[in-house]
Amino acid sequence: MRVRTGGCLCGAVRYQIEGPMRPVIACHCRECRNHSGHYLAASQAVRSNVEIVGIDAVTWYRTSALGERGFCSRCGSPLFLDWDNSDRLSIVAGSLDQPSGLALIGHIYTSEQGDYYEIADGLPQREKGCDGDPTTDLSGSPEWEA
Ligand SMILES: [Zn+2]
Ligand SMILES: [Zn+2]
């Protein structure tokens, strides 16, 4: 079984993920842009497959009715989005150690994207989320990466 690792910039928080992960989706919503500094690219894993070392350094901040964002309280790196009513945990793609073996498959909430950039990679775009459910895959159920 593939094991992926990652963590924050300062190293206070590290994580290990066993098993498959969803391909990466970029979210352009106002909250993600504000929190990440640009748009937020994230994968997902089944929460019970994620082991977090240094979780005491993670601050959880609720920015929507849907879930909480987890970031390192020391260096500020965004790391996780913990969705209510779901067994999935979103993992910020930039925090994954390389190679991740994952690929970006599309963009969501393009209706809220910043006015200072264009999306020109030819990947699918959605003006809103995934039918209101942030844990739903972009189009149907793309194969998770082993
Ligand atoms: Zn840190
Ligand atoms: Zn977002």
Side-chain angles (χ1 to χ4, degrees), residues 22 24-34 36 38-42 69 81 83 104 106-110 112-113 117 119 128-129 134:
R22 193 200 65 188
V24 176
I25 294 175
C27 184
H28 298 259
C29 82
R30 180 63 181 138
E31 287 186 359
C32 284
R33 291 194 303 103
N34 207 331
S36 71
H38 193 24
Y39 56 82
L40 189 74
R69 295 170 191 270
L81 290 89
W83 303 107
L104 184 70
H107 303 268
I108 60 173
Y109 283 101
T110 58
E112 298 181 26
Q113 82 177 83
Y117 62 91
I119 304 169
K128 292 295 181 186

PDB file of all heavy atoms in Angstrom, residues 22 24-34 36 38-42 69 81 83 104 106-110 112-113 117 119 128-129 134:
ATOM      1  N   ARG A  22      -7.688  11.178  -3.512  1.00  0.00           N
ATOM      2  CA  ARG A  22      -8.393  11.771  -4.639  1.00  0.00           C
ATOM      3  C   ARG A  22      -7.437  12.650  -5.437  1.00  0.00           C
ATOM      4  O   ARG A  22      -6.545  13.278  -4.849  1.00  0.00           O
ATOM      5  CB  ARG A  22      -9.555  12.634  -4.121  1.00  0.00           C
ATOM      6  CG  ARG A  22     -10.553  13.050  -5.208  1.00  0.00           C
ATOM      7  CD  ARG A  22     -11.342  14.251  -4.764  1.00  0.00           C
ATOM      8  NE  ARG A  22     -10.458  15.399  -4.614  1.00  0.00           N
ATOM      9  CZ  ARG A  22     -10.830  16.559  -4.089  1.00  0.00           C
ATOM     10  NH1 ARG A  22     -12.048  16.720  -3.640  1.00  0.00           N
ATOM     11  NH2 ARG A  22      -9.978  17.563  -3.998  1.00  0.00           N
ATOM     12  N   VAL A  24      -6.206  16.028  -7.344  1.00  0.00           N
ATOM     13  CA  VAL A  24      -6.213  17.384  -6.794  1.00  0.00           C
ATOM     14  C   VAL A  24      -7.242  18.259  -7.521  1.00  0.00           C
ATOM     15  O   VAL A  24      -7.354  18.221  -8.749  1.00  0.00           O
ATOM     16  CB  VAL A  24      -4.811  18.008  -6.920  1.00  0.00           C
ATOM     17  CG1 VAL A  24      -4.812  19.454  -6.444  1.00  0.00           C
ATOM     18  CG2 VAL A  24      -3.798  17.176  -6.130  1.00  0.00           C
ATOM     19  N   ILE A  25      -8.006  19.037  -6.739  1.00  0.00           N
ATOM     20  CA  ILE A  25      -8.955  20.005  -7.286  1.00  0.00           C
ATOM     21  C   ILE A  25      -8.606  21.375  -6.713  1.00  0.00           C
ATOM     22  O   ILE A  25      -8.321  21.507  -5.521  1.00  0.00           O
ATOM     23  CB  ILE A  25     -10.406  19.621  -6.932  1.00  0.00           C
ATOM     24  CG1 ILE A  25     -10.789  18.307  -7.637  1.00  0.00           C
ATOM     25  CG2 ILE A  25     -11.375  20.735  -7.322  1.00  0.00           C
ATOM     26  CD1 ILE A  25     -12.156  17.779  -7.259  1.00  0.00           C
ATOM     27  N   ALA A  26      -8.613  22.380  -7.580  1.00  0.00           N
ATOM     28  CA  ALA A  26      -8.298  23.743  -7.154  1.00  0.00           C
ATOM     29  C   ALA A  26      -9.582  24.496  -6.862  1.00  0.00           C
ATOM     30  O   ALA A  26     -10.481  24.557  -7.706  1.00  0.00           O
ATOM     31  CB  ALA A  26      -7.509  24.469  -8.237  1.00  0.00           C
ATOM     32  N   CYS A  27      -9.667  25.078  -5.663  1.00  0.00           N
ATOM     33  CA  CYS A  27     -10.853  25.854  -5.280  1.00  0.00           C
ATOM     34  C   CYS A  27     -10.521  27.345  -5.295  1.00  0.00           C
ATOM     35  O   CYS A  27      -9.560  27.781  -4.664  1.00  0.00           O
ATOM     36  CB  CYS A  27     -11.361  25.442  -3.907  1.00  0.00           C
ATOM     37  SG  CYS A  27     -12.889  26.320  -3.474  1.00  0.00           S
ATOM     38  N   HIS A  28     -11.359  28.090  -6.005  1.00  0.00           N
ATOM     39  CA  HIS A  28     -11.138  29.521  -6.184  1.00  0.00           C
ATOM     40  C   HIS A  28     -12.092  30.361  -5.353  1.00  0.00           C
ATOM     41  O   HIS A  28     -12.245  31.560  -5.595  1.00  0.00           O
ATOM     42  CB  HIS A  28     -11.274  29.883  -7.666  1.00  0.00           C
ATOM     43  CG  HIS A  28     -10.275  29.199  -8.537  1.00  0.00           C
ATOM     44  ND1 HIS A  28      -9.144  29.819  -9.017  1.00  0.00           N
ATOM     45  CD2 HIS A  28     -10.210  27.915  -8.982  1.00  0.00           C
ATOM     46  CE1 HIS A  28      -8.444  28.954  -9.745  1.00  0.00           C
ATOM     47  NE2 HIS A  28      -9.062  27.791  -9.739  1.00  0.00           N
ATOM     48  N   CYS A  29     -12.764  29.749  -4.380  1.00  0.00           N
ATOM     49  CA  CYS A  29     -13.730  30.515  -3.583  1.00  0.00           C
ATOM     50  C   CYS A  29     -13.014  31.568  -2.733  1.00  0.00           C
ATOM     51  O   CYS A  29     -11.812  31.490  -2.492  1.00  0.00           O
ATOM     52  CB  CYS A  29     -14.582  29.588  -2.708  1.00  0.00           C
ATOM     53  SG  CYS A  29     -13.822  29.066  -1.154  1.00  0.00           S
ATOM     54  N   ARG A  30     -13.779  32.551  -2.293  1.00  0.00           N
ATOM     55  CA  ARG A  30     -13.215  33.668  -1.533  1.00  0.00           C
ATOM     56  C   ARG A  30     -12.487  33.184  -0.277  1.00  0.00           C
ATOM     57  O   ARG A  30     -11.415  33.668   0.060  1.00  0.00           O
ATOM     58  CB  ARG A  30     -14.338  34.644  -1.170  1.00  0.00           C
ATOM     59  CG  ARG A  30     -13.891  35.839  -0.374  1.00  0.00           C
ATOM     60  CD  ARG A  30     -12.929  36.694  -1.165  1.00  0.00           C
ATOM     61  NE  ARG A  30     -12.464  37.840  -0.381  1.00  0.00           N
ATOM     62  CZ  ARG A  30     -11.204  38.258  -0.366  1.00  0.00           C
ATOM     63  NH1 ARG A  30     -10.276  37.618  -1.062  1.00  0.00           N
ATOM     64  NH2 ARG A  30     -10.862  39.312   0.336  1.00  0.00           N
ATOM     65  N   GLU A  31     -13.077  32.230   0.405  1.00  0.00           N
ATOM     66  CA  GLU A  31     -12.466  31.740   1.643  1.00  0.00           C
ATOM     67  C   GLU A  31     -11.115  31.078   1.373  1.00  0.00           C
ATOM     68  O   GLU A  31     -10.137  31.310   2.078  1.00  0.00           O
ATOM     69  CB  GLU A  31     -13.390  30.728   2.325  1.00  0.00           C
ATOM     70  CG  GLU A  31     -14.605  31.358   2.962  1.00  0.00           C
ATOM     71  CD  GLU A  31     -15.422  30.342   3.746  1.00  0.00           C
ATOM     72  OE1 GLU A  31     -15.037  29.155   3.772  1.00  0.00           O
ATOM     73  OE2 GLU A  31     -16.441  30.742   4.320  1.00  0.00           O
ATOM     74  N   CYS A  32     -11.062  30.227   0.349  1.00  0.00           N
ATOM     75  CA  CYS A  32      -9.809  29.538   0.045  1.00  0.00           C
ATOM     76  C   CYS A  32      -8.743  30.521  -0.419  1.00  0.00           C
ATOM     77  O   CYS A  32      -7.572  30.395  -0.073  1.00  0.00           O
ATOM     78  CB  CYS A  32     -10.024  28.464  -1.021  1.00  0.00           C
ATOM     79  SG  CYS A  32     -10.834  26.983  -0.387  1.00  0.00           S
ATOM     80  N   ARG A  33      -9.159  31.508  -1.213  1.00  0.00           N
ATOM     81  CA  ARG A  33      -8.176  32.478  -1.683  1.00  0.00           C
ATOM     82  C   ARG A  33      -7.645  33.310  -0.536  1.00  0.00           C
ATOM     83  O   ARG A  33      -6.446  33.575  -0.439  1.00  0.00           O
ATOM     84  CB  ARG A  33      -8.787  33.360  -2.771  1.00  0.00           C
ATOM     85  CG  ARG A  33      -9.046  32.585  -4.061  1.00  0.00           C
ATOM     86  CD  ARG A  33      -9.327  33.497  -5.247  1.00  0.00           C
ATOM     87  NE  ARG A  33     -10.440  34.398  -5.041  1.00  0.00           N
ATOM     88  CZ  ARG A  33     -10.319  35.709  -4.753  1.00  0.00           C
ATOM     89  NH1 ARG A  33      -9.128  36.253  -4.647  1.00  0.00           N
ATOM     90  NH2 ARG A  33     -11.386  36.447  -4.574  1.00  0.00           N
ATOM     91  N   ASN A  34      -8.543  33.692   0.361  1.00  0.00           N
ATOM     92  CA  ASN A  34      -8.116  34.518   1.480  1.00  0.00           C
ATOM     93  C   ASN A  34      -7.188  33.744   2.417  1.00  0.00           C
ATOM     94  O   ASN A  34      -6.177  34.263   2.887  1.00  0.00           O
ATOM     95  CB  ASN A  34      -9.352  34.997   2.248  1.00  0.00           C
ATOM     96  CG  ASN A  34      -9.112  36.310   2.964  1.00  0.00           C
ATOM     97  OD1 ASN A  34      -8.000  36.620   3.345  1.00  0.00           O
ATOM     98  ND2 ASN A  34     -10.160  37.080   3.146  1.00  0.00           N
ATOM     99  N   SER A  36      -5.380  30.921   1.782  1.00  0.00           N
ATOM    100  CA  SER A  36      -4.156  30.354   1.211  1.00  0.00           C
ATOM    101  C   SER A  36      -3.237  31.407   0.605  1.00  0.00           C
ATOM    102  O   SER A  36      -2.047  31.167   0.415  1.00  0.00           O
ATOM    103  CB  SER A  36      -4.510  29.342   0.117  1.00  0.00           C
ATOM    104  OG  SER A  36      -5.018  29.998  -1.025  1.00  0.00           O
ATOM    105  N   HIS A  38      -3.764  32.513  -2.458  1.00  0.00           N
ATOM    106  CA  HIS A  38      -4.073  32.459  -3.886  1.00  0.00           C
ATOM    107  C   HIS A  38      -5.285  31.547  -4.005  1.00  0.00           C
ATOM    108  O   HIS A  38      -6.246  31.739  -3.264  1.00  0.00           O
ATOM    109  CB  HIS A  38      -2.854  31.947  -4.654  1.00  0.00           C
ATOM    110  CG  HIS A  38      -2.926  32.133  -6.142  1.00  0.00           C
ATOM    111  ND1 HIS A  38      -3.691  33.086  -6.753  1.00  0.00           N
ATOM    112  CD2 HIS A  38      -2.305  31.465  -7.144  1.00  0.00           C
ATOM    113  CE1 HIS A  38      -3.534  33.011  -8.073  1.00  0.00           C
ATOM    114  NE2 HIS A  38      -2.706  32.027  -8.344  1.00  0.00           N
ATOM    115  N   TYR A  39      -5.271  30.552  -4.878  1.00  0.00           N
ATOM    116  CA  TYR A  39      -6.346  29.573  -4.791  1.00  0.00           C
ATOM    117  C   TYR A  39      -5.806  28.326  -4.118  1.00  0.00           C
ATOM    118  O   TYR A  39      -4.595  28.156  -4.014  1.00  0.00           O
ATOM    119  CB  TYR A  39      -6.984  29.284  -6.144  1.00  0.00           C
ATOM    120  CG  TYR A  39      -6.061  28.823  -7.239  1.00  0.00           C
ATOM    121  CD1 TYR A  39      -5.675  27.496  -7.332  1.00  0.00           C
ATOM    122  CD2 TYR A  39      -5.601  29.720  -8.196  1.00  0.00           C
ATOM    123  CE1 TYR A  39      -4.835  27.073  -8.364  1.00  0.00           C
ATOM    124  CE2 TYR A  39      -4.761  29.303  -9.218  1.00  0.00           C
ATOM    125  CZ  TYR A  39      -4.381  27.980  -9.296  1.00  0.00           C
ATOM    126  OH  TYR A  39      -3.559  27.571 -10.300  1.00  0.00           O
ATOM    127  N   LEU A  40      -6.709  27.495  -3.638  1.00  0.00           N
ATOM    128  CA  LEU A  40      -6.287  26.362  -2.824  1.00  0.00           C
ATOM    129  C   LEU A  40      -6.434  25.055  -3.608  1.00  0.00           C
ATOM    130  O   LEU A  40      -7.525  24.688  -4.030  1.00  0.00           O
ATOM    131  CB  LEU A  40      -7.132  26.282  -1.560  1.00  0.00           C
ATOM    132  CG  LEU A  40      -6.622  25.261  -0.534  1.00  0.00           C
ATOM    133  CD1 LEU A  40      -5.380  25.799   0.162  1.00  0.00           C
ATOM    134  CD2 LEU A  40      -7.683  24.927   0.489  1.00  0.00           C
ATOM    135  N   ALA A  41      -5.319  24.376  -3.784  1.00  0.00           N
ATOM    136  CA  ALA A  41      -5.329  23.070  -4.442  1.00  0.00           C
ATOM    137  C   ALA A  41      -5.269  21.997  -3.366  1.00  0.00           C
ATOM    138  O   ALA A  41      -4.392  22.031  -2.503  1.00  0.00           O
ATOM    139  CB  ALA A  41      -4.140  22.940  -5.388  1.00  0.00           C
ATOM    140  N   ALA A  42      -6.214  21.068  -3.413  1.00  0.00           N
ATOM    141  CA  ALA A  42      -6.265  20.068  -2.356  1.00  0.00           C
ATOM    142  C   ALA A  42      -6.645  18.692  -2.893  1.00  0.00           C
ATOM    143  O   ALA A  42      -7.400  18.567  -3.862  1.00  0.00           O
ATOM    144  CB  ALA A  42      -7.256  20.486  -1.273  1.00  0.00           C
ATOM    145  N   ARG A  69     -10.856  24.619   8.818  1.00  0.00           N
ATOM    146  CA  ARG A  69      -9.536  24.612   8.194  1.00  0.00           C
ATOM    147  C   ARG A  69      -8.485  24.411   9.266  1.00  0.00           C
ATOM    148  O   ARG A  69      -8.526  25.041  10.314  1.00  0.00           O
ATOM    149  CB  ARG A  69      -9.277  25.947   7.477  1.00  0.00           C
ATOM    150  CG  ARG A  69     -10.219  26.161   6.311  1.00  0.00           C
ATOM    151  CD  ARG A  69     -10.130  27.570   5.760  1.00  0.00           C
ATOM    152  NE  ARG A  69     -11.237  27.777   4.831  1.00  0.00           N
ATOM    153  CZ  ARG A  69     -11.169  27.519   3.518  1.00  0.00           C
ATOM    154  NH1 ARG A  69     -10.046  27.084   2.982  1.00  0.00           N
ATOM    155  NH2 ARG A  69     -12.214  27.693   2.752  1.00  0.00           N
ATOM    156  N   LEU A  81      -8.580  20.498   5.495  1.00  0.00           N
ATOM    157  CA  LEU A  81      -9.966  20.944   5.625  1.00  0.00           C
ATOM    158  C   LEU A  81     -10.750  19.739   6.113  1.00  0.00           C
ATOM    159  O   LEU A  81     -10.807  18.704   5.445  1.00  0.00           O
ATOM    160  CB  LEU A  81     -10.537  21.444   4.299  1.00  0.00           C
ATOM    161  CG  LEU A  81      -9.959  22.768   3.771  1.00  0.00           C
ATOM    162  CD1 LEU A  81      -8.753  22.521   2.903  1.00  0.00           C
ATOM    163  CD2 LEU A  81     -11.020  23.521   3.004  1.00  0.00           C
ATOM    164  N   TRP A  83     -14.152  18.246   6.913  1.00  0.00           N
ATOM    165  CA  TRP A  83     -15.551  18.463   6.565  1.00  0.00           C
ATOM    166  C   TRP A  83     -16.480  17.831   7.589  1.00  0.00           C
ATOM    167  O   TRP A  83     -16.271  16.702   8.017  1.00  0.00           O
ATOM    168  CB  TRP A  83     -15.836  17.877   5.185  1.00  0.00           C
ATOM    169  CG  TRP A  83     -14.955  18.458   4.135  1.00  0.00           C
ATOM    170  CD1 TRP A  83     -13.914  17.843   3.510  1.00  0.00           C
ATOM    171  CD2 TRP A  83     -15.007  19.777   3.609  1.00  0.00           C
ATOM    172  NE1 TRP A  83     -13.315  18.703   2.619  1.00  0.00           N
ATOM    173  CE2 TRP A  83     -13.971  19.893   2.660  1.00  0.00           C
ATOM    174  CE3 TRP A  83     -15.831  20.873   3.847  1.00  0.00           C
ATOM    175  CZ2 TRP A  83     -13.739  21.062   1.953  1.00  0.00           C
ATOM    176  CZ3 TRP A  83     -15.589  22.037   3.140  1.00  0.00           C
ATOM    177  CH2 TRP A  83     -14.558  22.120   2.209  1.00  0.00           C
ATOM    178  N   LEU A 104      -3.651  17.412 -10.873  1.00  0.00           N
ATOM    179  CA  LEU A 104      -4.759  18.359 -10.850  1.00  0.00           C
ATOM    180  C   LEU A 104      -5.768  17.972 -11.927  1.00  0.00           C
ATOM    181  O   LEU A 104      -5.388  17.709 -13.069  1.00  0.00           O
ATOM    182  CB  LEU A 104      -4.223  19.769 -11.120  1.00  0.00           C
ATOM    183  CG  LEU A 104      -5.220  20.926 -11.043  1.00  0.00           C
ATOM    184  CD1 LEU A 104      -5.655  21.177  -9.600  1.00  0.00           C
ATOM    185  CD2 LEU A 104      -4.602  22.195 -11.624  1.00  0.00           C
ATOM    186  N   GLY A 106      -9.084  19.735 -12.107  1.00  0.00           N
ATOM    187  CA  GLY A 106     -10.066  20.755 -12.435  1.00  0.00           C
ATOM    188  C   GLY A 106     -10.146  21.851 -11.394  1.00  0.00           C
ATOM    189  O   GLY A 106      -9.405  21.858 -10.406  1.00  0.00           O
ATOM    190  N   HIS A 107     -11.090  22.773 -11.640  1.00  0.00           N
ATOM    191  CA  HIS A 107     -11.238  23.982 -10.838  1.00  0.00           C
ATOM    192  C   HIS A 107     -12.691  24.147 -10.409  1.00  0.00           C
ATOM    193  O   HIS A 107     -13.605  23.961 -11.216  1.00  0.00           O
ATOM    194  CB  HIS A 107     -10.829  25.207 -11.655  1.00  0.00           C
ATOM    195  CG  HIS A 107      -9.434  25.133 -12.194  1.00  0.00           C
ATOM    196  ND1 HIS A 107      -8.346  25.634 -11.524  1.00  0.00           N
ATOM    197  CD2 HIS A 107      -8.956  24.577 -13.342  1.00  0.00           C
ATOM    198  CE1 HIS A 107      -7.255  25.413 -12.241  1.00  0.00           C
ATOM    199  NE2 HIS A 107      -7.582  24.781 -13.347  1.00  0.00           N
ATOM    200  N   ILE A 108     -12.901  24.537  -9.152  1.00  0.00           N
ATOM    201  CA  ILE A 108     -14.253  24.799  -8.669  1.00  0.00           C
ATOM    202  C   ILE A 108     -14.353  26.229  -8.128  1.00  0.00           C
ATOM    203  O   ILE A 108     -13.347  26.866  -7.835  1.00  0.00           O
ATOM    204  CB  ILE A 108     -14.708  23.780  -7.606  1.00  0.00           C
ATOM    205  CG1 ILE A 108     -13.780  23.809  -6.389  1.00  0.00           C
ATOM    206  CG2 ILE A 108     -14.772  22.375  -8.206  1.00  0.00           C
ATOM    207  CD1 ILE A 108     -14.275  22.940  -5.229  1.00  0.00           C
ATOM    208  N   TYR A 109     -15.598  26.693  -8.002  1.00  0.00           N
ATOM    209  CA  TYR A 109     -15.889  28.048  -7.532  1.00  0.00           C
ATOM    210  C   TYR A 109     -15.174  29.114  -8.353  1.00  0.00           C
ATOM    211  O   TYR A 109     -14.700  30.126  -7.816  1.00  0.00           O
ATOM    212  CB  TYR A 109     -15.570  28.203  -6.035  1.00  0.00           C
ATOM    213  CG  TYR A 109     -16.634  27.587  -5.158  1.00  0.00           C
ATOM    214  CD1 TYR A 109     -16.442  26.333  -4.578  1.00  0.00           C
ATOM    215  CD2 TYR A 109     -17.841  28.233  -4.946  1.00  0.00           C
ATOM    216  CE1 TYR A 109     -17.431  25.743  -3.798  1.00  0.00           C
ATOM    217  CE2 TYR A 109     -18.835  27.648  -4.162  1.00  0.00           C
ATOM    218  CZ  TYR A 109     -18.615  26.414  -3.600  1.00  0.00           C
ATOM    219  OH  TYR A 109     -19.592  25.843  -2.832  1.00  0.00           O
ATOM    220  N   THR A 110     -15.150  28.906  -9.669  1.00  0.00           N
ATOM    221  CA  THR A 110     -14.513  29.913 -10.523  1.00  0.00           C
ATOM    222  C   THR A 110     -15.308  31.215 -10.551  1.00  0.00           C
ATOM    223  O   THR A 110     -14.782  32.243 -10.952  1.00  0.00           O
ATOM    224  CB  THR A 110     -14.355  29.381 -11.955  1.00  0.00           C
ATOM    225  OG1 THR A 110     -15.650  29.029 -12.457  1.00  0.00           O
ATOM    226  CG2 THR A 110     -13.454  28.154 -11.983  1.00  0.00           C
ATOM    227  N   GLU A 112     -15.940  32.867  -8.084  1.00  0.00           N
ATOM    228  CA  GLU A 112     -15.360  33.719  -7.048  1.00  0.00           C
ATOM    229  C   GLU A 112     -13.858  33.908  -7.232  1.00  0.00           C
ATOM    230  O   GLU A 112     -13.173  34.388  -6.334  1.00  0.00           O
ATOM    231  CB  GLU A 112     -15.640  33.112  -5.663  1.00  0.00           C
ATOM    232  CG  GLU A 112     -17.118  33.019  -5.340  1.00  0.00           C
ATOM    233  CD  GLU A 112     -17.382  32.447  -3.944  1.00  0.00           C
ATOM    234  OE1 GLU A 112     -16.516  32.563  -3.066  1.00  0.00           O
ATOM    235  OE2 GLU A 112     -18.468  31.862  -3.755  1.00  0.00           O
ATOM    236  N   GLN A 113     -13.340  33.553  -8.393  1.00  0.00           N
ATOM    237  CA  GLN A 113     -11.894  33.650  -8.585  1.00  0.00           C
ATOM    238  C   GLN A 113     -11.438  35.097  -8.558  1.00  0.00           C
ATOM    239  O   GLN A 113     -12.218  36.023  -8.819  1.00  0.00           O
ATOM    240  CB  GLN A 113     -11.471  32.977  -9.880  1.00  0.00           C
ATOM    241  CG  GLN A 113     -11.644  33.820 -11.141  1.00  0.00           C
ATOM    242  CD  GLN A 113     -11.125  33.109 -12.373  1.00  0.00           C
ATOM    243  OE1 GLN A 113     -11.814  32.282 -12.968  1.00  0.00           O
ATOM    244  NE2 GLN A 113      -9.904  33.430 -12.761  1.00  0.00           N
ATOM    245  N   TYR A 117      -5.871  36.915 -12.216  1.00  0.00           N
ATOM    246  CA  TYR A 117      -5.290  35.760 -12.910  1.00  0.00           C
ATOM    247  C   TYR A 117      -6.336  35.115 -13.794  1.00  0.00           C
ATOM    248  O   TYR A 117      -7.540  35.337 -13.630  1.00  0.00           O
ATOM    249  CB  TYR A 117      -4.714  34.741 -11.918  1.00  0.00           C
ATOM    250  CG  TYR A 117      -5.737  34.126 -10.978  1.00  0.00           C
ATOM    251  CD1 TYR A 117      -6.403  32.944 -11.311  1.00  0.00           C
ATOM    252  CD2 TYR A 117      -6.026  34.723  -9.757  1.00  0.00           C
ATOM    253  CE1 TYR A 117      -7.334  32.379 -10.447  1.00  0.00           C
ATOM    254  CE2 TYR A 117      -6.953  34.164  -8.888  1.00  0.00           C
ATOM    255  CZ  TYR A 117      -7.601  32.997  -9.234  1.00  0.00           C
ATOM    256  OH  TYR A 117      -8.521  32.444  -8.381  1.00  0.00           O
ATOM    257  N   ILE A 119      -7.460  31.255 -15.630  1.00  0.00           N
ATOM    258  CA  ILE A 119      -7.280  29.805 -15.586  1.00  0.00           C
ATOM    259  C   ILE A 119      -7.163  29.349 -17.034  1.00  0.00           C
ATOM    260  O   ILE A 119      -8.116  29.461 -17.801  1.00  0.00           O
ATOM    261  CB  ILE A 119      -8.472  29.120 -14.902  1.00  0.00           C
ATOM    262  CG1 ILE A 119      -8.681  29.711 -13.508  1.00  0.00           C
ATOM    263  CG2 ILE A 119      -8.248  27.619 -14.833  1.00  0.00           C
ATOM    264  CD1 ILE A 119      -9.999  29.285 -12.854  1.00  0.00           C
ATOM    265  N   LYS A 128     -19.540  26.862  -9.407  1.00  0.00           N
ATOM    266  CA  LYS A 128     -19.757  26.644  -7.984  1.00  0.00           C
ATOM    267  C   LYS A 128     -18.975  25.408  -7.570  1.00  0.00           C
ATOM    268  O   LYS A 128     -18.081  24.958  -8.270  1.00  0.00           O
ATOM    269  CB  LYS A 128     -21.253  26.464  -7.697  1.00  0.00           C
ATOM    270  CG  LYS A 128     -22.049  27.728  -7.928  1.00  0.00           C
ATOM    271  CD  LYS A 128     -21.638  28.832  -6.952  1.00  0.00           C
ATOM    272  CE  LYS A 128     -22.448  30.114  -7.153  1.00  0.00           C
ATOM    273  NZ  LYS A 128     -21.932  31.206  -6.304  1.00  0.00           N
ATOM    274  N   GLY A 129     -19.362  24.861  -6.429  1.00  0.00           N
ATOM    275  CA  GLY A 129     -18.688  23.671  -5.948  1.00  0.00           C
ATOM    276  C   GLY A 129     -19.193  22.449  -6.663  1.00  0.00           C
ATOM    277  O   GLY A 129     -19.629  22.512  -7.804  1.00  0.00           O
ATOM    278  N   PRO A 134     -18.776  19.864  -0.857  1.00  0.00           N
ATOM    279  CA  PRO A 134     -17.352  20.041  -1.137  1.00  0.00           C
ATOM    280  C   PRO A 134     -16.577  18.729  -1.146  1.00  0.00           C
ATOM    281  O   PRO A 134     -15.418  18.695  -1.575  1.00  0.00           O
ATOM    282  CB  PRO A 134     -16.877  20.944   0.009  1.00  0.00           C
ATOM    283  CG  PRO A 134     -17.844  20.675   1.101  1.00  0.00           C
ATOM    284  CD  PRO A 134     -19.168  20.411   0.438  1.00  0.00           C
TER     285      PRO A 134
END
